[in-house]
Amino acid sequence: FRGRLTEGQRLMHPAPTGRRQYLLVIEGELRVNGETLFSGDQARITEADGLKLQAVSASDVLLIDLP
């Protein structure tokens, strides 16, 4: 999934048990489950019940949901 979030926008992405997520912040500043990521940062997420995203600034993100 690729998307643009406006400043302050929040998004919840469910993460079923056994799945992993890869997140890349293409541009902007994004808070993911309480951790702040900046342009060019990436996160490999495992064992999460879901992803809580909040754009600190306007952000362009790429999220890949993996088995």
Side-chain angles (χ1 to χ4, degrees):
F1 308 97
R2 182 170 177 187
R4 292 182 184 265
L5 284 78
T6 58
E7 183 176 333
Q9 185 176 358
R10 295 173 188 242
L11 180 68
M12 177 69 177
H13 177 76
T17 303
R19 300 207 45 101
R20 301 170 292 145
Q21 292 78 37
Y22 170 81
L23 183 101
L24 172 65
V25 180
I26 298 167
E27 185 177 344
E29 185 177 344
L30 186 70
R31 195 165 293 127
V32 182
N33 291 356
E35 298 290 327
T36 303
L37 301 176
F38 301 93
S39 295
D41 285 349
Q42 61 179 319
R44 294 178 183 152
I45 302 142
T46 59
E47 310 284 331
D49 293 332
L51 299 180
K52 296 176 186 170
L53 310 175
Q54 180 182 2
V56 177
S57 66
S59 300
D60 187 7
V61 299
L62 176 67
L63 174 65
I64 301 172
D65 189 53
L66 302 163

Short mmCIF file of all heavy atoms in Angstrom, two decimals:
data_model
loop_
_atom_site.label_atom_id
_atom_site.label_comp_id
_atom_site.label_asym_id
_atom_site.label_seq_id
_atom_site.Cartn_x
_atom_site.Cartn_y
_atom_site.Cartn_z
N PHE A 1 0.84 -1.16 0.00
CA PHE A 1 0.00 0.00 0.00
C PHE A 1 0.90 1.24 0.00
O PHE A 1 1.90 1.26 0.69
CB PHE A 1 -0.86 0.04 1.26
CG PHE A 1 -1.64 -1.23 1.51
CD1 PHE A 1 -1.15 -2.19 2.40
CD2 PHE A 1 -2.83 -1.46 0.87
CE1 PHE A 1 -1.85 -3.33 2.65
CE2 PHE A 1 -3.54 -2.62 1.11
CZ PHE A 1 -3.05 -3.56 2.00
N ARG A 2 0.51 2.23 -0.75
CA ARG A 2 1.22 3.50 -0.71
C ARG A 2 0.20 4.59 -0.44
O ARG A 2 -0.91 4.57 -0.99
CB ARG A 2 1.94 3.78 -2.02
CG ARG A 2 2.72 5.08 -1.96
CD ARG A 2 3.63 5.28 -3.12
NE ARG A 2 4.28 6.58 -2.99
CZ ARG A 2 5.02 7.10 -3.92
NH1 ARG A 2 5.22 6.44 -5.04
NH2 ARG A 2 5.58 8.27 -3.74
N GLY A 3 0.56 5.52 0.40
CA GLY A 3 -0.40 6.56 0.71
C GLY A 3 0.26 7.83 1.19
O GLY A 3 1.43 7.85 1.56
N ARG A 4 -0.53 8.90 1.15
CA ARG A 4 -0.11 10.20 1.66
C ARG A 4 -1.01 10.55 2.83
O ARG A 4 -2.22 10.45 2.73
CB ARG A 4 -0.23 11.26 0.57
CG ARG A 4 0.76 11.06 -0.56
CD ARG A 4 0.60 12.19 -1.58
NE ARG A 4 1.47 11.97 -2.70
CZ ARG A 4 2.69 12.50 -2.82
NH1 ARG A 4 3.15 13.30 -1.88
NH2 ARG A 4 3.42 12.26 -3.88
N LEU A 5 -0.39 10.94 3.91
CA LEU A 5 -1.13 11.36 5.09
C LEU A 5 -0.89 12.85 5.30
O LEU A 5 0.23 13.33 5.14
CB LEU A 5 -0.66 10.58 6.32
CG LEU A 5 -1.15 9.14 6.44
CD1 LEU A 5 -0.36 8.22 5.54
CD2 LEU A 5 -1.01 8.67 7.87
N THR A 6 -1.94 13.55 5.66
CA THR A 6 -1.81 14.97 5.96
C THR A 6 -1.35 15.12 7.41
O THR A 6 -1.50 14.21 8.22
CB THR A 6 -3.15 15.71 5.76
OG1 THR A 6 -4.14 15.11 6.59
CG2 THR A 6 -3.59 15.64 4.31
N GLU A 7 -0.79 16.26 7.73
CA GLU A 7 -0.30 16.51 9.09
C GLU A 7 -1.41 16.24 10.11
O GLU A 7 -2.53 16.72 9.97
CB GLU A 7 0.18 17.95 9.21
CG GLU A 7 0.77 18.27 10.56
CD GLU A 7 1.32 19.67 10.64
OE1 GLU A 7 1.72 20.23 9.60
OE2 GLU A 7 1.35 20.22 11.75
N GLY A 8 -1.10 15.41 11.11
CA GLY A 8 -2.05 15.09 12.16
C GLY A 8 -2.96 13.91 11.85
O GLY A 8 -3.63 13.39 12.74
N GLN A 9 -2.99 13.47 10.61
CA GLN A 9 -3.87 12.36 10.23
C GLN A 9 -3.43 11.07 10.91
O GLN A 9 -2.25 10.79 11.05
CB GLN A 9 -3.87 12.17 8.71
CG GLN A 9 -4.84 11.13 8.22
CD GLN A 9 -4.88 11.03 6.70
OE1 GLN A 9 -4.20 11.77 6.00
NE2 GLN A 9 -5.67 10.11 6.21
N ARG A 10 -4.41 10.29 11.33
CA ARG A 10 -4.16 9.01 11.99
C ARG A 10 -4.74 7.88 11.15
O ARG A 10 -5.76 8.05 10.49
CB ARG A 10 -4.78 8.98 13.38
CG ARG A 10 -4.18 9.97 14.32
CD ARG A 10 -4.94 10.03 15.62
NE ARG A 10 -4.45 11.12 16.43
CZ ARG A 10 -3.88 10.95 17.61
NH1 ARG A 10 -3.76 9.75 18.13
NH2 ARG A 10 -3.46 12.00 18.29
N LEU A 11 -4.08 6.73 11.23
CA LEU A 11 -4.51 5.58 10.47
C LEU A 11 -4.19 4.33 11.27
O LEU A 11 -3.12 4.24 11.90
CB LEU A 11 -3.78 5.56 9.12
CG LEU A 11 -4.07 4.42 8.17
CD1 LEU A 11 -5.49 4.53 7.64
CD2 LEU A 11 -3.08 4.47 7.02
N MET A 12 -5.09 3.36 11.26
CA MET A 12 -4.86 2.08 11.94
C MET A 12 -4.83 0.99 10.88
O MET A 12 -5.73 0.92 10.03
CB MET A 12 -5.99 1.83 12.94
CG MET A 12 -5.91 0.52 13.65
SD MET A 12 -4.50 0.53 14.76
CE MET A 12 -4.69 -1.07 15.49
N HIS A 13 -3.79 0.18 10.90
CA HIS A 13 -3.68 -0.94 9.97
C HIS A 13 -3.65 -2.23 10.80
O HIS A 13 -2.75 -2.41 11.63
CB HIS A 13 -2.40 -0.83 9.13
CG HIS A 13 -2.19 -2.00 8.22
ND1 HIS A 13 -2.91 -2.15 7.05
CD2 HIS A 13 -1.38 -3.06 8.31
CE1 HIS A 13 -2.52 -3.27 6.46
NE2 HIS A 13 -1.60 -3.83 7.20
N PRO A 14 -4.63 -3.12 10.62
CA PRO A 14 -4.64 -4.37 11.38
C PRO A 14 -3.46 -5.26 10.98
O PRO A 14 -3.01 -5.22 9.83
CB PRO A 14 -5.97 -5.01 11.00
CG PRO A 14 -6.34 -4.41 9.70
CD PRO A 14 -5.72 -3.04 9.66
N ALA A 15 -2.95 -6.02 11.93
CA ALA A 15 -1.83 -6.93 11.66
C ALA A 15 -2.19 -8.29 12.25
O ALA A 15 -1.91 -8.55 13.42
CB ALA A 15 -0.54 -6.39 12.26
N PRO A 16 -2.82 -9.16 11.46
CA PRO A 16 -3.19 -10.47 11.97
C PRO A 16 -1.98 -11.26 12.47
O PRO A 16 -0.86 -11.07 12.00
CB PRO A 16 -3.82 -11.16 10.76
CG PRO A 16 -4.22 -10.06 9.83
CD PRO A 16 -3.21 -8.96 10.08
N THR A 17 -2.20 -12.12 13.43
CA THR A 17 -1.14 -12.95 14.00
C THR A 17 -0.38 -13.69 12.90
O THR A 17 -0.97 -14.22 11.97
CB THR A 17 -1.75 -13.99 14.98
OG1 THR A 17 -2.47 -13.28 15.98
CG2 THR A 17 -0.67 -14.82 15.63
N GLY A 18 0.94 -13.67 13.01
CA GLY A 18 1.79 -14.38 12.06
C GLY A 18 2.19 -13.57 10.85
O GLY A 18 2.97 -14.03 10.03
N ARG A 19 1.69 -12.36 10.69
CA ARG A 19 2.06 -11.54 9.55
C ARG A 19 3.11 -10.51 9.96
O ARG A 19 3.25 -10.18 11.12
CB ARG A 19 0.83 -10.84 8.97
CG ARG A 19 -0.18 -11.90 8.53
CD ARG A 19 -1.08 -11.52 7.44
NE ARG A 19 -0.56 -10.85 6.29
CZ ARG A 19 -0.30 -11.44 5.13
NH1 ARG A 19 -0.42 -12.75 5.01
NH2 ARG A 19 0.10 -10.74 4.10
N ARG A 20 3.86 -10.04 8.98
CA ARG A 20 4.90 -9.03 9.20
C ARG A 20 4.61 -7.84 8.30
O ARG A 20 3.95 -7.98 7.29
CB ARG A 20 6.27 -9.61 8.85
CG ARG A 20 6.63 -10.84 9.66
CD ARG A 20 7.87 -11.53 9.13
NE ARG A 20 7.57 -12.11 7.82
CZ ARG A 20 8.42 -12.19 6.81
NH1 ARG A 20 9.65 -11.73 6.93
NH2 ARG A 20 8.07 -12.73 5.66
N GLN A 21 5.14 -6.68 8.67
CA GLN A 21 4.97 -5.48 7.87
C GLN A 21 6.33 -4.80 7.67
O GLN A 21 7.18 -4.83 8.55
CB GLN A 21 4.01 -4.48 8.55
CG GLN A 21 2.58 -4.93 8.61
CD GLN A 21 2.33 -5.94 9.69
OE1 GLN A 21 2.91 -5.86 10.76
NE2 GLN A 21 1.48 -6.90 9.42
N TYR A 22 6.46 -4.22 6.49
CA TYR A 22 7.63 -3.40 6.17
C TYR A 22 7.09 -2.01 5.85
O TYR A 22 6.17 -1.88 5.04
CB TYR A 22 8.37 -3.98 4.96
CG TYR A 22 9.44 -3.06 4.42
CD1 TYR A 22 10.70 -3.01 5.02
CD2 TYR A 22 9.21 -2.25 3.32
CE1 TYR A 22 11.68 -2.16 4.54
CE2 TYR A 22 10.19 -1.41 2.83
CZ TYR A 22 11.42 -1.37 3.44
OH TYR A 22 12.38 -0.53 2.96
N LEU A 23 7.61 -1.02 6.50
CA LEU A 23 7.14 0.35 6.31
C LEU A 23 8.32 1.24 5.94
O LEU A 23 9.37 1.19 6.57
CB LEU A 23 6.49 0.86 7.60
CG LEU A 23 5.90 2.25 7.47
CD1 LEU A 23 4.40 2.14 7.29
CD2 LEU A 23 6.22 3.08 8.67
N LEU A 24 8.14 2.05 4.89
CA LEU A 24 9.15 3.01 4.45
C LEU A 24 8.53 4.39 4.43
O LEU A 24 7.46 4.59 3.84
CB LEU A 24 9.65 2.66 3.05
CG LEU A 24 10.58 3.68 2.38
CD1 LEU A 24 11.89 3.81 3.13
CD2 LEU A 24 10.82 3.31 0.92
N VAL A 25 9.17 5.33 5.10
CA VAL A 25 8.73 6.73 5.05
C VAL A 25 9.47 7.37 3.88
O VAL A 25 10.68 7.61 3.94
CB VAL A 25 9.03 7.48 6.37
CG1 VAL A 25 8.56 8.92 6.26
CG2 VAL A 25 8.38 6.78 7.54
N ILE A 26 8.75 7.58 2.79
CA ILE A 26 9.35 8.16 1.60
C ILE A 26 9.65 9.64 1.83
O ILE A 26 10.70 10.14 1.46
CB ILE A 26 8.42 7.97 0.38
CG1 ILE A 26 8.23 6.46 0.13
CG2 ILE A 26 8.95 8.68 -0.85
CD1 ILE A 26 7.11 6.12 -0.83
N GLU A 27 8.70 10.30 2.46
CA GLU A 27 8.86 11.73 2.76
C GLU A 27 8.02 12.07 3.97
O GLU A 27 6.93 11.52 4.17
CB GLU A 27 8.40 12.57 1.56
CG GLU A 27 8.62 14.04 1.71
CD GLU A 27 8.20 14.82 0.46
OE1 GLU A 27 8.02 14.21 -0.59
OE2 GLU A 27 8.06 16.04 0.58
N GLY A 28 8.53 12.94 4.84
CA GLY A 28 7.76 13.40 5.98
C GLY A 28 8.26 12.84 7.30
O GLY A 28 9.36 12.31 7.40
N GLU A 29 7.39 12.95 8.30
CA GLU A 29 7.68 12.47 9.65
C GLU A 29 6.44 11.75 10.14
O GLU A 29 5.34 12.29 10.10
CB GLU A 29 8.02 13.65 10.56
CG GLU A 29 8.44 13.26 11.95
CD GLU A 29 8.84 14.46 12.79
OE1 GLU A 29 9.08 15.55 12.23
OE2 GLU A 29 8.90 14.30 14.02
N LEU A 30 6.64 10.51 10.60
CA LEU A 30 5.52 9.64 10.93
C LEU A 30 5.78 8.95 12.26
O LEU A 30 6.88 8.48 12.52
CB LEU A 30 5.39 8.59 9.83
CG LEU A 30 4.22 7.64 9.86
CD1 LEU A 30 2.92 8.39 9.56
CD2 LEU A 30 4.41 6.54 8.83
N ARG A 31 4.76 8.90 13.10
CA ARG A 31 4.85 8.15 14.36
C ARG A 31 4.16 6.81 14.14
O ARG A 31 3.02 6.75 13.69
CB ARG A 31 4.17 8.95 15.48
CG ARG A 31 4.54 8.43 16.84
CD ARG A 31 4.19 9.41 17.95
NE ARG A 31 5.02 10.61 17.85
CZ ARG A 31 4.55 11.85 17.82
NH1 ARG A 31 3.26 12.07 17.87
NH2 ARG A 31 5.36 12.88 17.73
N VAL A 32 4.89 5.72 14.43
CA VAL A 32 4.38 4.36 14.24
C VAL A 32 4.45 3.64 15.58
O VAL A 32 5.54 3.39 16.10
CB VAL A 32 5.21 3.58 13.19
CG1 VAL A 32 4.64 2.19 12.98
CG2 VAL A 32 5.28 4.35 11.88
N ASN A 33 3.29 3.33 16.13
CA ASN A 33 3.22 2.67 17.44
C ASN A 33 4.12 3.36 18.47
O ASN A 33 4.83 2.71 19.24
CB ASN A 33 3.57 1.18 17.33
CG ASN A 33 2.51 0.40 16.57
OD1 ASN A 33 1.48 0.93 16.20
ND2 ASN A 33 2.77 -0.86 16.33
N GLY A 34 4.12 4.70 18.43
CA GLY A 34 4.87 5.48 19.41
C GLY A 34 6.30 5.80 19.03
O GLY A 34 6.94 6.62 19.68
N GLU A 35 6.82 5.20 17.97
CA GLU A 35 8.19 5.47 17.51
C GLU A 35 8.14 6.46 16.34
O GLU A 35 7.33 6.30 15.43
CB GLU A 35 8.88 4.18 17.04
CG GLU A 35 9.03 3.13 18.11
CD GLU A 35 10.05 3.51 19.16
OE1 GLU A 35 11.04 4.19 18.82
OE2 GLU A 35 9.84 3.13 20.32
N THR A 36 9.03 7.45 16.35
CA THR A 36 9.03 8.46 15.28
C THR A 36 10.02 8.07 14.19
O THR A 36 11.17 7.74 14.45
CB THR A 36 9.39 9.84 15.85
OG1 THR A 36 8.45 10.16 16.88
CG2 THR A 36 9.33 10.91 14.77
N LEU A 37 9.52 8.10 12.95
CA LEU A 37 10.34 7.82 11.77
C LEU A 37 10.37 9.07 10.89
O LEU A 37 9.38 9.80 10.81
CB LEU A 37 9.75 6.64 10.98
CG LEU A 37 9.61 5.32 11.71
CD1 LEU A 37 8.93 4.29 10.82
CD2 LEU A 37 10.95 4.80 12.19
N PHE A 38 11.49 9.28 10.22
CA PHE A 38 11.70 10.44 9.36
C PHE A 38 11.90 9.99 7.92
O PHE A 38 12.07 8.79 7.65
CB PHE A 38 12.92 11.23 9.83
CG PHE A 38 12.78 11.72 11.25
CD1 PHE A 38 13.27 10.97 12.31
CD2 PHE A 38 12.15 12.92 11.53
CE1 PHE A 38 13.14 11.41 13.62
CE2 PHE A 38 12.02 13.37 12.83
CZ PHE A 38 12.51 12.61 13.88
N SER A 39 11.93 10.94 6.98
CA SER A 39 12.16 10.63 5.56
C SER A 39 13.33 9.68 5.41
O SER A 39 14.40 9.89 5.97
CB SER A 39 12.46 11.91 4.78
OG SER A 39 11.35 12.77 4.78
N GLY A 40 13.10 8.59 4.65
CA GLY A 40 14.15 7.61 4.39
C GLY A 40 14.23 6.50 5.43
O GLY A 40 14.88 5.49 5.20
N ASP A 41 13.56 6.67 6.58
CA ASP A 41 13.58 5.62 7.61
C ASP A 41 12.68 4.48 7.20
O ASP A 41 11.71 4.64 6.46
CB ASP A 41 13.10 6.17 8.95
CG ASP A 41 14.12 7.04 9.65
OD1 ASP A 41 15.29 7.08 9.20
OD2 ASP A 41 13.74 7.70 10.64
N GLN A 42 13.00 3.29 7.72
CA GLN A 42 12.20 2.12 7.48
C GLN A 42 12.00 1.36 8.78
O GLN A 42 12.75 1.54 9.73
CB GLN A 42 12.87 1.22 6.45
CG GLN A 42 14.23 0.72 6.89
CD GLN A 42 14.87 -0.19 5.88
OE1 GLN A 42 14.20 -1.01 5.29
NE2 GLN A 42 16.17 -0.04 5.67
N ALA A 43 10.97 0.55 8.80
CA ALA A 43 10.70 -0.29 9.97
C ALA A 43 10.27 -1.66 9.47
O ALA A 43 9.49 -1.77 8.53
CB ALA A 43 9.62 0.33 10.83
N ARG A 44 10.80 -2.68 10.11
CA ARG A 44 10.37 -4.06 9.86
C ARG A 44 9.66 -4.50 11.12
O ARG A 44 10.27 -4.58 12.18
CB ARG A 44 11.59 -4.93 9.56
CG ARG A 44 12.23 -4.51 8.26
CD ARG A 44 13.45 -5.31 7.95
NE ARG A 44 14.02 -4.77 6.72
CZ ARG A 44 15.29 -4.82 6.42
NH1 ARG A 44 16.13 -5.39 7.25
NH2 ARG A 44 15.72 -4.32 5.30
N ILE A 45 8.39 -4.76 10.99
CA ILE A 45 7.55 -4.97 12.15
C ILE A 45 7.08 -6.42 12.21
O ILE A 45 6.54 -6.95 11.24
CB ILE A 45 6.33 -4.01 12.10
CG1 ILE A 45 6.85 -2.57 12.05
CG2 ILE A 45 5.42 -4.22 13.28
CD1 ILE A 45 6.09 -1.65 11.19
N THR A 46 7.29 -7.03 13.36
CA THR A 46 6.82 -8.39 13.61
C THR A 46 6.14 -8.40 14.97
O THR A 46 6.37 -7.54 15.81
CB THR A 46 7.99 -9.40 13.63
OG1 THR A 46 8.91 -9.03 14.66
CG2 THR A 46 8.72 -9.44 12.30
N GLU A 47 5.28 -9.36 15.17
CA GLU A 47 4.64 -9.55 16.47
C GLU A 47 3.84 -8.33 16.94
O GLU A 47 3.76 -8.07 18.13
CB GLU A 47 5.69 -9.89 17.54
CG GLU A 47 6.63 -11.01 17.17
CD GLU A 47 5.99 -12.38 17.28
OE1 GLU A 47 5.09 -12.57 18.10
OE2 GLU A 47 6.41 -13.26 16.52
N ALA A 48 3.25 -7.58 16.03
CA ALA A 48 2.44 -6.42 16.41
C ALA A 48 0.96 -6.77 16.25
O ALA A 48 0.58 -7.49 15.33
CB ALA A 48 2.79 -5.22 15.55
N ASP A 49 0.14 -6.25 17.15
CA ASP A 49 -1.30 -6.47 17.05
C ASP A 49 -1.92 -5.58 15.99
O ASP A 49 -3.04 -5.81 15.55
CB ASP A 49 -1.97 -6.16 18.40
CG ASP A 49 -1.58 -7.17 19.47
OD1 ASP A 49 -1.27 -8.32 19.12
OD2 ASP A 49 -1.57 -6.79 20.65
N GLY A 50 -1.20 -4.55 15.60
CA GLY A 50 -1.67 -3.61 14.59
C GLY A 50 -0.73 -2.43 14.54
O GLY A 50 0.12 -2.27 15.41
N LEU A 51 -0.86 -1.64 13.50
CA LEU A 51 -0.01 -0.46 13.35
C LEU A 51 -0.86 0.79 13.55
O LEU A 51 -1.88 0.97 12.89
CB LEU A 51 0.62 -0.42 11.96
CG LEU A 51 1.53 -1.58 11.60
CD1 LEU A 51 2.06 -1.40 10.19
CD2 LEU A 51 2.66 -1.71 12.59
N LYS A 52 -0.41 1.64 14.45
CA LYS A 52 -1.05 2.93 14.68
C LYS A 52 -0.14 3.98 14.07
O LYS A 52 0.97 4.20 14.56
CB LYS A 52 -1.25 3.17 16.16
CG LYS A 52 -2.19 2.19 16.81
CD LYS A 52 -2.27 2.41 18.30
CE LYS A 52 -3.10 1.31 18.94
NZ LYS A 52 -3.02 1.34 20.39
N LEU A 53 -0.58 4.59 12.99
CA LEU A 53 0.21 5.59 12.29
C LEU A 53 -0.36 6.97 12.55
O LEU A 53 -1.57 7.16 12.54
CB LEU A 53 0.18 5.33 10.78
CG LEU A 53 0.51 3.91 10.31
CD1 LEU A 53 0.33 3.80 8.80
CD2 LEU A 53 1.91 3.51 10.71
N GLN A 54 0.53 7.92 12.77
CA GLN A 54 0.13 9.32 12.90
C GLN A 54 1.16 10.18 12.20
O GLN A 54 2.36 10.09 12.50
CB GLN A 54 0.01 9.75 14.36
CG GLN A 54 -0.40 11.20 14.48
CD GLN A 54 -0.48 11.68 15.91
OE1 GLN A 54 -0.20 10.94 16.84
NE2 GLN A 54 -0.87 12.92 16.09
N ALA A 55 0.71 10.99 11.28
CA ALA A 55 1.60 11.87 10.54
C ALA A 55 1.92 13.11 11.39
O ALA A 55 1.04 13.87 11.74
CB ALA A 55 0.97 12.30 9.23
N VAL A 56 3.20 13.26 11.73
CA VAL A 56 3.66 14.44 12.46
C VAL A 56 3.70 15.62 11.49
O VAL A 56 3.40 16.75 11.85
CB VAL A 56 5.04 14.18 13.11
CG1 VAL A 56 5.56 15.42 13.81
CG2 VAL A 56 4.96 13.00 14.07
N SER A 57 4.08 15.32 10.24
CA SER A 57 4.02 16.30 9.15
C SER A 57 3.43 15.55 7.95
O SER A 57 3.28 14.33 8.00
CB SER A 57 5.41 16.84 8.83
OG SER A 57 6.24 15.82 8.31
N ALA A 58 3.09 16.26 6.90
CA ALA A 58 2.57 15.60 5.70
C ALA A 58 3.58 14.52 5.30
O ALA A 58 4.77 14.77 5.23
CB ALA A 58 2.38 16.60 4.58
N SER A 59 3.07 13.30 5.07
CA SER A 59 3.96 12.16 4.84
C SER A 59 3.52 11.30 3.67
O SER A 59 2.32 11.14 3.42
CB SER A 59 4.02 11.28 6.10
OG SER A 59 4.49 11.99 7.20
N ASP A 60 4.50 10.75 2.98
CA ASP A 60 4.28 9.79 1.90
C ASP A 60 4.90 8.47 2.39
O ASP A 60 6.09 8.44 2.74
CB ASP A 60 4.98 10.29 0.64
CG ASP A 60 4.67 9.47 -0.59
OD1 ASP A 60 3.82 8.57 -0.53
OD2 ASP A 60 5.30 9.73 -1.64
N VAL A 61 4.09 7.41 2.45
CA VAL A 61 4.56 6.16 3.04
C VAL A 61 4.26 4.97 2.14
O VAL A 61 3.32 4.99 1.35
CB VAL A 61 3.95 5.90 4.43
CG1 VAL A 61 4.31 7.01 5.40
CG2 VAL A 61 2.44 5.78 4.36
N LEU A 62 5.09 3.94 2.31
CA LEU A 62 4.90 2.66 1.62
C LEU A 62 4.81 1.59 2.70
O LEU A 62 5.69 1.49 3.56
CB LEU A 62 6.07 2.37 0.69
CG LEU A 62 6.05 1.01 -0.01
CD1 LEU A 62 4.89 0.95 -1.01
CD2 LEU A 62 7.38 0.77 -0.71
N LEU A 63 3.74 0.81 2.68
CA LEU A 63 3.53 -0.26 3.65
C LEU A 63 3.34 -1.56 2.89
O LEU A 63 2.46 -1.66 2.03
CB LEU A 63 2.31 0.03 4.52
CG LEU A 63 1.88 -1.07 5.47
CD1 LEU A 63 2.95 -1.32 6.54
CD2 LEU A 63 0.55 -0.74 6.13
N ILE A 64 4.16 -2.55 3.21
CA ILE A 64 4.05 -3.87 2.60
C ILE A 64 3.70 -4.86 3.69
O ILE A 64 4.40 -4.95 4.70
CB ILE A 64 5.37 -4.27 1.90
CG1 ILE A 64 5.71 -3.25 0.82
CG2 ILE A 64 5.24 -5.67 1.30
CD1 ILE A 64 7.07 -3.44 0.19
N ASP A 65 2.60 -5.58 3.49
CA ASP A 65 2.13 -6.59 4.44
C ASP A 65 2.59 -7.95 3.93
O ASP A 65 2.30 -8.33 2.80
CB ASP A 65 0.60 -6.52 4.53
CG ASP A 65 0.05 -7.38 5.63
OD1 ASP A 65 0.50 -7.23 6.77
OD2 ASP A 65 -0.82 -8.23 5.32
N LEU A 66 3.36 -8.66 4.77
CA LEU A 66 3.99 -9.92 4.36
C LEU A 66 3.46 -11.10 5.17
O LEU A 66 3.12 -10.94 6.33
CB LEU A 66 5.51 -9.82 4.56
CG LEU A 66 6.21 -8.70 3.81
CD1 LEU A 66 7.57 -8.44 4.41
CD2 LEU A 66 6.31 -9.07 2.35
N PRO A 67 3.45 -12.29 4.55
CA PRO A 67 3.04 -13.48 5.32
C PRO A 67 4.06 -13.85 6.39
O PRO A 67 5.16 -13.38 6.40
CB PRO A 67 2.95 -14.57 4.26
CG PRO A 67 3.68 -14.08 3.08
CD PRO A 67 3.78 -12.59 3.20
#
